[in-house]
Amino acid sequence: MVELTDKKHKAFVYAVMNQYWYQMYIDDLPIWGVVGKEEDKKYYIYTHKKFDISYNGKQIVDVSLTPEKKELLKVGAKIKFTYEVNWKPSNVKFEDRFDKYLDPNFFQHRIHWFSIFNSFMMVIFLVGLVSMILMRTLRKDYARYSKDEEADDMERDLGDEYGWKQIHGDVFRPASNAMMFSALIGAGYQLTSVVLCVISFAILGELYTERGSLLSTSIFVYAATSPINGYFGGSLYARMGGKQWIKQMLLSAFIVPALVCGTAFFINFIAIYYHASRAIPFGTMVAVTCICIFVILPLTLIGTIVGRNLDGQPDFPCRVNAVPRPIPEKKWFMEPAVIILLGGVLPFGSIFIEMYFIFTSFWAYKIYYVYGFMLLVFLILIIVTVCVTIVCTYFLLNAEDYRWQWTSFMSAASTAIYIYIYSFYYFFFKTKMYGLFQTSFYFGYMALFSGALGIICGTVGYIGTNVFVRKIYSNVKID
């Protein structure tokens, strides 16, 4: 029995007016119901809940909820909430009980298939274009440089020397802020491994059938892959001549957990203020902190030590000059800032339709189950990102600008900027969220999602570009 005070009356009227609904779970099966209904400018609340539960043997295979008995909301009224449960046998198998929640008409729509086909054609076009341009251009470059080698010193001095060969003594110069750069690359290797592992587990194990299993699997895989972070980040920092490897290891280990926990704790304080059910229990916060300190940190330390010892020696095809070469002036569209902004357009274009399905499954409470699509789109994203960053880096090097490490990373990572901008469109035109808590909850977690994908894209772009740069400079005779 609930007596409607003025405060409770306003809360219920507000919920009915704005068509609030609630979600509950019975044996991990979700059910939804509306708070009430508006009729003739009067507000009614459903006071009776009818649960129909189907079972097969000793297992629950189906649950449904029907709200009944409308009662007018008025101050001072005493409302009695009741429920009933009806049990009935069913022939539905336990492993098939989630099929009714899947929405094949939405996820397997022709637009979804068309977007995959469109992205795949973009990959073929990009790979062919990059191969054709670079092979023809590099062949001309190699021919020109070979001709320069045959010329005598006077002809070479009088000749117009330009292009990527001229910066061979600076191209492998360590990146500025090598500690942060190596930490981001290490985190990118780890996040890429986590995404591939979790998607594979989801395809094989149908993780969507157990509430919270996808998040638990992600946390476990992230902790277990910490040595990957330490190995690649630590070895890269050592090859760049870094000396403060302990600071680098700590930064590499905690850069992603700190961002995730910081954002989650900030949203959690707002949730506690609004008494929302989304508030994270204090025990969960302590458990996550313990995982970071006692699992992620030691494993990252092991990976860093192994990486520094096995792959920490510089092995550049060209020696690095003692004095940095001045960077000549160039056209505005060849500046790193412009290249960075343009570099994320095509990778975003290859995945933005899939982003709509992922956003809808998360924010509209649909169950995402087409992880095969997700894996294919992720692989397409990797290929497109590598192709785009190689082209961007070639243009940068040809302008005799050797700051390619950060440029390759950021030009690929700028995909996150376009994803976050798209999240604004989705928020205002596809959702009905409003208020401080819902807005901060949405944009906080979308910032984390975009940032993580940006780190992944940036790392993939750097890996592909690093292979490309080493290849072209190892094939040119250097005096």
Side-chain angles (χ1 to χ4, degrees), residues 21-25 211 267-268 270-281 365 437 441:
W21 52 273
Y22 52 86
Q23 181 178 14
M24 296 188 293
Y25 290 88
R211 183 159 56 109
I267 297 173
N268 198 56
I270 300 176
I272 292 172
Y273 175 78
Y274 281 94
H275 305 287
S277 60
R278 291 287 183 180
I280 303 173
Y365 297 96
F437 174 61
F441 186 82

Side-chain angles (χ1 to χ4, degrees), residues 147-166:
K147 187 177 180 181
D148 290 344
E149 293 296 335
E150 296 172 359
D152 57 29
D153 293 339
M154 182 174 293
E155 289 177 341
R156 197 179 306 169
D157 291 338
L158 294 174
D160 184 19
E161 291 192 353
Y162 64 93
W164 49 267
K165 184 188 175 184
Q166 311 309 319

Side-chain angles (χ1 to χ4, degrees), residues 106-107 111-112 353-362 368:
F106 176 75
F107 286 107
I111 293 177
H112 205 171
I353 294 180
E354 191 66 24
M355 288 297 101
Y356 170 75
F357 289 100
I358 293 174
F359 287 5
T360 303
S361 68
F362 191 81
Y368 190 96

